[in-house]
Amino acid sequence: MSGRDSVGEPSLNPAAIVATLNRHHVRYVVIGAFAAIAQRAPIPATRDIDLTPEASQGNLARLSRALTDLGARIRTEAVPEGLPFRHDATSLAAAEVWNLVCADGEFDISFHPSGFAGGYAELTVNAHRLLVGEVEVAVADLADVIRSKESAGRPKDLRVLPLLYRHLSGRRAEREAEQG
């Protein structure tokens, strides 16, 4: 795999990953830490990008074609370049989460992220269209990112919650000042 950082991890090029998804007309929402960072939350950089795709057969078929173009492989610590896997719409729908790697970095696909049993349909309601590099993407609202991190309750999520709360509060105060 190309594009590795100083410790051998694939460097993240999120714009290339989402550009490939967009080229295949995949419907998805960027979630997690990257969604927060895209909204200028002052949290540590992330090593991957998390996505929630719409789970229709047609969208999953487009996702499968995009994964093929990306050269996506199953991410595992034992095999740094990842394990090859065959996929189609049916096989992609058979798992809740896919942890993947490609030449452009690591990415996770989660159909129902913590706190969002409704998956894509629930997340897209409040999502924002933002630029990642030069590529427009749907990004989960910061309040939804917070809700998911609260629900997941993992130590890495709990550590960033105070920063996310402050950032969201500051954004709300700015909006009120602009309207008032």
Side-chain angles (χ1 to χ4, degrees):
M1 311 229 53
S2 63
R4 295 200 172 262
D5 66 16
S6 61
V7 292
E9 298 293 333
S11 55
L12 182 61
N13 182 351
I17 293 170
V18 296
T20 300
L21 296 174
N22 290 356
R23 193 169 49 254
H24 286 276
H25 306 285
V26 176
R27 289 187 301 273
Y28 64 94
V29 175
V30 174
I31 61 172
F34 194 86
I37 292 166
Q39 295 172 77
R40 296 191 161 92
I43 63 173
T46 181
R47 62 184 274 176
D48 66 3
I49 183 169
D50 301 305
L51 313 160
T52 296
E54 191 260 337
S56 71
Q57 286 292 303
N59 196 57
L60 293 180
R62 292 188 297 276
L63 175 60
S64 179
R65 289 190 292 275
L67 294 177
T68 298
D69 279 1
L70 286 165
R73 299 165 73 88
I74 294 175
R75 190 170 73 238
T76 173
E77 287 184 29
V79 183
E81 68 274 9
L83 299 171
F85 75 116
R86 298 175 70 99
H87 48 80
D88 59 17
T90 302
S91 65
L92 290 174
E96 278 294 311
V97 175
W98 291 96
N99 302 114
L100 303 171
V101 64
C102 69
D104 295 309
E106 297 180 0
F107 61 106
D108 297 332
I109 296 170
S110 176
F111 289 97
H112 300 99
S114 294
F116 290 90
Y120 173 85
E122 192 174 355
L123 285 162
T124 196
V125 171
N126 297 317
H128 307 278
R129 303 292 302 177
L130 299 175
L131 288 178
V132 173
E134 301 290 319
V135 184
E136 186 175 298
V137 297
V139 175
D141 184 73
L142 191 58
D144 288 342
V145 172
I146 290 170
R147 175 176 154 192
S148 183
K149 289 189 173 297
E150 288 171 337
S151 179
R154 299 174 301 187
K156 70 178 189 173
D157 295 320
L158 298 176
R159 278 192 299 273
V160 300
L161 279 173
L163 298 169
L164 294 176
Y165 294 143
R166 279 194 297 278
H167 187 65
L168 181 60
S169 176
R171 284 181 43 185
R172 287 179 175 160
E174 287 173 10
R175 278 195 292 263
E176 288 173 7
E178 288 172 0
Q179 293 173 351

